[in-house]
Amino acid sequence: MTFDEIFHITLMQGFAGLSLFAVLLLMGLGLAIIFGQMGVINMAHGEFMTIGAYTIFLMSALTEAYAPGLMQAYFPLAIVCAFLAAFAFGWLAEWALIRHLYKRPLDTLLATWGLSLAMQQTFRSVFGPKEVSPTLPDWLMGSWEITEGLDIPINGMFVLGLTLVVTGGVLLAMYKSRWGLRVRATVSNRTMANAIGIDTRKTDRLTFAIGCGIAGVAGAAFTTIGSTGPTSGSLYIVDAFLVVTFGGAASLWGTVVSAFGIAQTQSISEFFLSGSMAKVLTLLLIVGILMMRPQGLFAAKVRR
């Protein structure tokens, strides 16, 4: 195999890794807000992604049945509905369960793990055990040929664009909005935030719901590259925690860099190695770097 062929294959795998990067980043952003900013170990985060994916499937089925003329335009609205559905379920989960466990992080792990099992069984009862796929608009199909033999899937480009918009929105909201200011104040010193009049309970609930809503958007993106089943979200929860931990638990910028590095390493390695060996190689690299830098790539600045 010549150098040009290796370079061409590596470039193709790199473009293929962008779709994985988009899903991991959207999952990681939601988890970075919930785990990194709030300290809640949400093992049900993958199931909120599944809620978003099933919302897309339902919107597709309803549009196809009752308004087939809108099939080319339903997808952007379905993404908004996926966010709202996951946001609503996240709000409810925080009110019913999470708010009682903020000072007991290990208990949140057990409680949300039980919640994830219950949600998976609910998906299985409502949608069945088989995987389903929505009918995507025609403009999401096909590919864009850059050079001869090098095609970029249009759905991958759309998902990447969606990810950039959501990432920019989260960063802007976290550092330029009143909600972001309240979140950062609550994370920094909850007692002082209460003393100056910030409703930390309301901030916690809204933050948890927004993190779940972003996971719903990740589910919407996932439907363009794979089919959805009751356990689809659980397949990404370990990778999402790796992204957040490797990037730095309280760093949104670290989440972006970590998601890109993990996705590209795994995607390029999968061509030269088997899928399981590529996963092992990625994990070994992450473990090795974390042994040298336990705080992650981007450590949070703490005022002492």
Side-chain angles (χ1 to χ4, degrees):
M1 188 177 290
T2 65
F3 174 79
D4 289 341
E5 290 175 332
I6 295 175
F7 176 77
H8 188 76
I9 291 169
T10 303
L11 194 62
M12 287 181 64
Q13 289 298 113
F15 279 120
L18 290 178
S19 296
L20 178 60
F21 158 68
V23 175
L24 287 182
L25 178 55
L26 288 173
M27 285 285 287
L29 279 177
L31 200 60
I33 294 173
I34 294 173
F35 174 59
Q37 301 289 334
M38 299 173 63
V40 174
I41 304 173
N42 183 19
M43 294 300 293
H45 195 70
E47 278 59 52
F48 288 100
M49 168 185 157
T50 309
I51 287 176
Y54 275 126
T55 301
I56 297 292
F57 171 72
L58 286 175
M59 291 291 291
S60 169
L62 290 173
T63 304
E64 197 169 16
Y66 298 105
L70 298 177
M71 282 302 295
Q72 301 304 314
Y74 87 92
F75 200 75
L77 177 62
I79 293 175
V80 176
C81 291
F83 173 84
L84 294 176
F87 179 95
F89 278 101
W91 183 284
L92 180 63
E94 198 282 339
W95 174 81
L97 181 66
I98 304 300
R99 67 189 176 104
H100 305 290
L101 305 172
Y102 277 121
K103 294 183 180 180
R104 296 179 289 171
L106 291 179
D107 288 351
T108 63
L109 187 152
L110 293 175
T112 54
W113 180 59
L115 177 62
S116 73
L117 295 179
M119 292 174 73
Q120 287 178 25
Q121 187 56 47
T122 302
F123 298 146
R124 197 171 283 111
S125 300
V126 174
F127 298 100
K130 294 183 178 180
E131 294 186 343
V132 296
S133 298
T135 302
L136 297 176
D138 292 339
W139 51 270
L140 274 177
M141 311 305 287
S143 60
W144 176 42
E145 185 177 356
I146 298 180
T147 60
E148 186 178 352
L150 181 58
D151 297 332
I152 301 179
I154 293 176
N155 59 352
M157 294 170 58
F158 174 81
V159 169
L160 183 61
L162 173 66
T163 303
L164 293 176
V165 170
V166 173
T167 304
V170 169
L171 291 172
L172 200 63
M174 186 60 72
Y175 295 105
K176 298 295 182 181
S177 72
R178 294 181 66 86
W179 165 74
L181 183 62
R182 292 191 185 103
V183 171
R184 289 182 286 119
T186 302
V187 170
S188 179
N189 193 322
R190 180 176 294 271
T191 304
M192 184 60 70
N194 273 317
I196 63 175
I198 294 176
D199 188 344
T200 54
R201 286 184 177 273
K202 183 178 179 182
T203 301
D204 289 337
R205 190 164 302 158
L206 182 60
T207 302
F208 188 87
I210 288 175
C212 293
I214 296 172
V217 177
F222 174 76
T223 60
T224 66
I225 60 174
S227 53
T228 305
T231 59
S232 293
S234 62
L235 301 177
Y236 284 89
I237 187 64
V238 174
D239 288 336
F241 271 106
L242 279 176
V243 165
V244 174
T245 306
F246 183 49
S251 173
L252 295 180
W253 284 113
T255 301
V256 176
V257 175
S258 174
F260 183 81
I262 290 174
Q264 290 301 317
T265 302
Q266 190 167 319
S267 178
I268 293 173
S269 301
E270 281 180 354
F271 182 81
F272 300 99
L273 305 169
S274 64
S276 57
M277 287 303 298
K279 193 83 169 179
V280 169
L281 175 63
T282 305
L283 288 174
L284 287 176
L285 289 174
I286 293 172
V287 169
I289 294 173
L290 286 177
M291 288 177 66
M292 295 182 290
R293 191 175 174 82
Q295 69 272 36
L297 296 177
F298 291 77
K301 295 180 180 179
V302 179
R303 215 177 262 180
R304 298 187 182 277

